[in-house]
Amino acid sequence: MTDAQEGFRGWVAARKGAWSRLRFTSLRLRLVVVFGLVALTAAVSASGIAYWLNREAVLTRTQDAVLRDFQQEMQNRAGSLPEYPTQDELQYTARQMANSSQRFSVLLVGEDANGKAVYGNSGGLSGLSLREVPLSLRTAVNREQDLTAANSSPYHLYWQRIVDDGTPYLVAGTRVIGGGPTGYMLKSLEPEAKDLNSLAWSLGIATGLALIGAALLAQAAATTVLKPVHRLGVAARRLGEGRLDTRLRVSGTDELADLSRTFNSTAEALEKRVADMAARDEASRRFVADMSHELRTPLTAITTITEVLEEELDAETGSVDPMIEPAVRLVVSETRRLNDLVENLMEVTRFDAGTARLVLDDVDIADQITSCIDARAWLDAVELDAERGIHARIDPRRLDVILANLIGNALKHGGSPVRVSVRATGGSGGTEETGDAGERGEAGPGVTAGDDGATTGGELVISVRDHGPGIPEDVLPHVFDRFYKASASRPRSEGSGLGLSIALENAHIHGGRITAANSPEGGAVFTLRLPRDTYEPAPQAEKDGAGPKGDAS
C-alpha cells in the first residue's frame, strides 16, 4: 500500500471520527442544541415583544403629536377662513399649517360662492392631492354624524396609515367645526421606520449573541457533565477488557459522584469474585491434574495385569476359570476405559492451563487420514474421498486425535458407512472440491464454505458424514460440551463424554473450528476447517478458542 493510500485512509478515518462526535446521537450535541433552542426561543420571544412594544410606542407617540398639531392648526387657521374662501387663501393657509412643528403636507378643500370646489395645498403643484387620500378616509371625513349626548360634533378627525413606494405615511382628515373647509394631512413616517429597523437589527444581533452565548454555556456545561461520563465509559471498557483493578477518582457529592462510587464498589466486588473463581478454578485444575498423575501409577500396574489376563483369555489355555471369564473381560474393558479417561482428563487440563503447544509438520492429508483409519481397523467401515497431494502444515498427532474422535463418534452413534471427504480452498478464494454437497456437510448451519476467510495458504475442509438418524435439533448446540451425552436419543455411550470437546480444542489450537449439522440426505455431518499454513506455535489463547494454540505432549 502506498503512502498516498495510507494518508487518504487516515483522512477518511479522521473525518468519520469527527462526524461520529458530531452526530445527533451525541449527548454533547444534543445538549448544545437544546440549550441553543431554549436560548433562541427566549431571545426571539423577548426581542419580538420588545420590538412590538417599541414600535407601538414610537408610532403612537408620533401619530398623537402629529394629529394633535394638525387638529389644532385646523381649528386656529382653517377655522379663521371665510365661509367661501378663494384658492389663494386656501393655499396661503395650507402653507402656514405645514410650517408647524410636525412638518406635514396639507391639502385644504373648500367651496366658492358659486358652489365650486376650491383646493389649496402646502406644496404647490407637487403637493398633496385629493387622489392620494384614500377614498375610505374621505368618505369617513365627510360623513355627518348624528348629535347625541355622547357625540357633540357632527364631524370628527380620522386617520390612516398607508405605504407608498415602500415608505410609510400617516394620512388624516377632518372638517372645521361650525362650517369651513375640509383639511387633509400627509406625514411621512420614514424616520420612525428607520429607527424601528435599527431597533430590529439591534435585537437580531442581541439574539445572535445570546444564541452564541447559550452554545458556549452549553458546551461548558456539557464538558462538565460529560467528562465524568467519558471517564466512566473508559473505565467500563478497561473493566470489560479484564483490567479489574480499574477505579474512578471520586470528587463531589452529586449524582455523578454517586455513580462513580457505585462503579468502584461494583468493580471491587467483581475483582474479588473473579479472583475467588480463578482461585477455585486453578485449584480444580490442579486437583484434576494431580489426580490424573496419581492415577497413572496404579493404572500402569493394573493395565499390565489386565493385559496378561487378556492374553491368557485369548490363548484359551484354560488357566482362567470359565466362571470368572466374564468378570475378567469386564475388568479389562473398564481398565482400558479408565485409562482413556485419565488420558483425556490430562489433555483437558493442559488445554485449560494454557500449556498446550503445537508440533508442526508438513502432512499429506490423504495419507494422514488413511493411517488413522488403518491404525484403528476401520478400513471396512469408512469410505475416504480425498485426493493425494493436498498438504497442510499442522500437528499430525492432534489431527489424528481429531479424526479418531470424529470418525469414532460417527461409527458409534451413526450408521455405516462413514464417509470422509477432503477439499481445499485456495488463498485467493478459489476452491478445489471433492465429493457432493451432502458429503461436504454444506447443508447445516455454519457449514457453508468460504465464511470467515482462509489464511494466506488457504483452508483445509474435512467433512465426516454418517448414515444414521442424525442429531436432534436440541442436541446440536451441546455436542461439543464436556461430558455431554444425548442419552435420550442415542444408545448409551461407553466413552467419557470428552472426545468431541478435545477434538474441538485441537481444532482451535490450529486456528480452526469444527461445526456439526444434519445432512438433508440423512445422517450427521461434522465439518473440520483448518488453515493449511500454521506457522509459529503460539501460547494457547483464552477459552473462546479465537487464536492458535499449542501442545507440549
Side-chain angles (χ1 to χ4, degrees):
M1 183 177 294
T2 64
D3 293 341
Q5 290 174 327
E6 287 286 353
F8 176 74
R9 290 192 175 183
W11 177 80
V12 171
R15 290 295 298 273
K16 286 183 178 179
W19 175 248
S20 66
R21 289 191 295 271
L22 292 176
R23 66 187 187 278
F24 192 69
T25 54
S26 169
L27 183 58
R28 181 185 300 275
L29 181 58
R30 281 186 285 173
L31 283 174
V32 172
V33 170
V34 169
F35 268 76
L37 289 177
V38 171
L40 182 63
T41 302
V44 168
S45 300
S47 298
I49 294 173
Y51 178 78
W52 181 78
L53 292 176
N54 279 275
R55 179 179 181 275
E56 290 301 316
V58 169
L59 293 179
T60 301
R61 184 173 62 250
T62 302
Q63 173 183 296
D64 291 346
V66 171
L67 294 178
R68 185 170 54 250
D69 195 19
F70 173 65
Q71 191 170 23
Q72 186 175 1
E73 291 292 328
M74 284 292 295
Q75 291 176 357
N76 295 337
R77 298 186 184 276
S80 62
L81 289 173
E83 183 179 359
Y84 300 105
T86 64
Q87 184 175 359
D88 291 339
E89 290 175 333
L90 292 177
Q91 197 85 14
Y92 177 76
T93 303
R95 288 173 182 171
Q96 284 186 323
M97 292 174 62
N99 288 330
S100 68
S101 59
Q102 297 299 323
R103 298 292 179 180
F104 41 73
S105 299
V106 178
L107 172 66
L108 296 177
V109 181
E111 292 183 356
D112 58 11
N114 298 324
K116 183 179 179 181
V118 181
Y119 303 93
N121 60 53
S122 60
L125 296 177
S126 59
L128 176 63
S129 64
L130 196 61
R131 291 191 302 272
E132 298 177 49
V133 180
L135 179 61
S136 59
L137 181 64
R138 284 182 278 162
T139 302
V141 167
N142 293 313
R143 182 184 302 116
E144 185 176 359
Q145 304 291 331
D146 295 332
L147 297 177
T148 62
N151 182 29
S152 60
S153 176
Y155 299 101
H156 297 276
L157 174 67
Y158 295 92
W159 59 270
Q160 185 176 344
R161 294 175 190 165
I162 61 174
V163 178
D164 186 14
D165 292 335
T167 303
Y169 292 94
L170 175 65
V171 59
T174 186
R175 295 191 65 168
V176 176
I177 299 174
T182 302
Y184 297 98
M185 177 274 301
L186 182 69
K187 170 67 175 179
S188 174
L189 298 177
E190 186 175 6
E192 287 75 14
K194 290 181 178 179
D195 293 340
L196 292 175
N197 287 335
S198 299
L199 176 63
W201 275 104
S202 300
L203 293 175
I205 294 173
T207 301
L209 293 176
L211 184 60
I212 295 174
L216 294 177
L217 289 176
Q219 175 69 14
T223 301
T224 303
V225 173
L226 295 180
K227 188 176 291 184
V229 175
H230 175 71
R231 287 199 298 265
L232 181 62
V234 172
R237 282 193 295 270
R238 289 162 62 92
L239 195 66
E241 293 169 357
R243 305 172 70 173
L244 301 180
D245 58 341
T246 302
R247 298 293 185 273
L248 287 172
R249 180 172 54 86
V250 180
S251 61
T253 58
D254 56 8
E255 289 80 359
L256 291 174
D258 292 339
L259 181 61
S260 298
R261 293 190 187 93
T262 303
F263 176 87
N264 288 341
S265 61
T266 303
E268 184 177 357
L270 181 62
E271 183 180 19
K272 185 177 183 301
R273 180 67 62 85
V274 171
D276 293 342
M277 292 178 62
R280 288 196 295 268
D281 188 57
E282 178 63 26
S284 176
R285 282 201 303 266
R286 177 59 59 186
F287 170 77
V288 173
D290 292 344
M291 181 190 67
S292 301
H293 281 288
E294 291 298 327
L295 286 176
R296 262 190 163 183
T297 301
L299 271 177
T300 302
I302 295 173
T303 301
T304 303
I305 296 172
T306 55
E307 287 176 354
V308 173
L309 291 175
E310 189 175 21
E311 289 176 359
E312 290 293 332
L313 290 174
D314 293 339
E316 298 181 355
T317 59
S319 59
V320 179
D321 189 341
M323 296 295 294
I324 65 172
E325 180 178 342
V328 172
R329 291 190 182 277
L330 179 62
V331 169
V332 170
S333 63
E334 291 301 320
T335 301
R336 187 176 292 114
R337 181 183 175 192
L338 180 59
N339 191 62
D340 291 340
L341 176 60
V342 171
E343 292 296 329
N344 287 339
L345 286 174
M346 293 186 66
E347 185 78 354
V348 168
T349 302
R350 282 192 288 270
F351 282 120
D352 290 343
T355 59
R357 299 291 182 271
L358 287 173
V359 180
L360 299 175
D361 193 10
D362 188 73
V363 177
D364 186 299
I365 301 302
D367 291 342
Q368 182 70 24
I369 298 176
T370 301
S371 299
C372 175
I373 297 172
D374 185 42
R376 293 162 178 81
W378 291 339
L379 289 175
D380 294 337
V382 178
E383 297 178 358
L384 177 60
D385 184 4
E387 295 182 358
R388 302 285 177 177
I390 299 179
H391 289 262
R393 182 174 172 79
I394 55 177
D395 187 328
R397 186 187 70 82
R398 294 193 178 278
L399 178 61
D400 183 78
V401 171
I402 297 173
L403 293 172
N405 278 295
L406 294 181
I407 298 174
N409 182 76
L411 290 173
K412 286 180 183 178
H413 305 295
S416 297
V418 173
R419 185 176 180 85
V420 181
S421 60
V422 180
R423 62 189 177 93
T425 62
S428 61
T431 61
E432 301 172 7
E433 301 184 0
T434 62
D436 56 72
E439 292 163 352
R440 293 196 304 269
E442 295 179 351
V447 191
T448 55
D451 59 343
D452 292 346
T455 58
T456 304
E459 190 178 45
L460 178 69
V461 181
I462 302 174
S463 62
V464 179
R465 176 192 169 194
D466 61 49
H467 288 76
I471 305 174
E473 293 298 327
D474 59 331
V475 175
L476 270 175
H478 306 286
V479 292
F480 295 105
D481 294 350
R482 294 177 182 178
F483 301 107
Y484 182 82
K485 297 180 182 180
S487 57
S489 57
R490 290 178 179 261
R492 181 185 179 275
S493 172
E494 297 181 356
S496 63
L498 293 172
L500 291 179
S501 175
I502 292 175
L504 181 64
E505 293 289 351
N506 280 300
H508 285 165
I509 209 173
H510 287 85
R513 63 199 183 282
I514 304 176
T515 55
N518 289 315
S519 172
E521 300 177 3
V525 179
F526 287 82
T527 304
L528 168 66
R529 296 174 181 272
L530 297 175
R532 296 180 66 180
D533 292 314
T534 305
Y535 292 102
E536 293 297 332
Q540 182 179 0
E542 297 296 331
K543 276 301 295 173
D544 59 4
K549 305 176 182 178
D551 189 3
S553 59

